[in-house]
Amino acid sequence: MIRPTGPTRPTGLTRDAGFQIGVSRTLPLPPEAVWRFLVSPEGTALWLGHGAVLPSERGAAWTAADGTSGELRSRHEGSRVRLTRRPAGPGAESTVQVTVTPRGEGATVRFHQERLADAAGREERRRHWRSVMDALEQALSPAADRPPRG
């Protein structure tokens, strides 16, 4: 019998957690500053959804203005948040983890989402997390603190 070479699963498909996606970026800012922004109302709106309040107690529920909801699984101040995410309307629950780790003189931010239903959902979430990362970088850039020219 000839065995196939290369991966036998589609990209992003795990053995037990469905499809997953991870997006990371290193920012030239102290990890503490990045963390403070991510858990602030403005930062939370970027990655969790407008109107969402990130809970601090394990097991506490959260809901965004668009009806997306979930439950906090764990929160390690300064480094990691793990929670469930249920989209409003049809769609399966998934798990999202956000981490901030020191990297040189900056901080690496990573969004990881697992238990996605299929490859199309994985690609949609990849686009979402890349967009979130762009918005995060824009919001934290020194130019964001300057008054507009004009």
Side-chain angles (χ1 to χ4, degrees), residues 1 9 11 35 41 49 55 60-61 66 78 82 85 89 91 94 109-112 125 129 138 140-141:
M1 176 179 183
R9 280 184 282 223
T11 301
W35 178 262
D66 69 357
R82 187 171 175 86
R85 179 186 183 279
S94 62
V109 179
R110 179 172 176 82
F111 293 97
H112 182 264
R125 297 314 289 172
W129 292 121
Q138 177 68 32
L140 289 172
S141 78

Side-chain angles (χ1 to χ4, degrees), residues 46-148:
L46 287 180
W47 66 273
L48 206 50
H50 292 284
V53 175
L54 183 63
S56 57
E57 299 282 326
R58 183 177 183 191
W62 63 271
T63 303
D66 69 357
T68 301
S69 63
E71 180 180 296
L72 183 70
R73 296 293 187 203
S74 65
R75 181 171 171 165
H76 301 273
E77 283 307 314
S79 65
R80 180 168 41 112
V81 171
R82 187 171 175 86
L83 47 81
T84 60
R85 179 186 183 279
R86 279 183 300 284
E93 181 178 275
S94 62
T95 302
V96 174
Q97 181 168 282
V98 181
T99 58
V100 177
T101 53
R103 177 75 173 215
E105 293 187 24
T108 297
V109 179
R110 179 172 176 82
F111 293 97
H112 182 264
Q113 190 168 359
E114 61 188 27
R115 295 177 48 213
L116 298 167
D118 54 30
R122 178 181 184 270
E123 282 308 307
E124 184 278 322
R125 297 314 289 172
R126 177 199 304 268
R127 286 188 301 274
H128 169 77
W129 292 121
R130 284 183 173 169
S131 173
V132 166
M133 215 47 105
D134 290 344
L136 175 64
E137 190 169 34
Q138 177 68 32
L140 289 172
S141 78
D145 295 334
R146 288 186 220 133

Side-chain angles (χ1 to χ4, degrees), residues 28-45:
L29 296 163
E32 302 79 23
V34 174
W35 178 262
R36 276 193 310 272
F37 181 78
L38 281 170
V39 300
S40 74
E42 183 183 357
T44 301

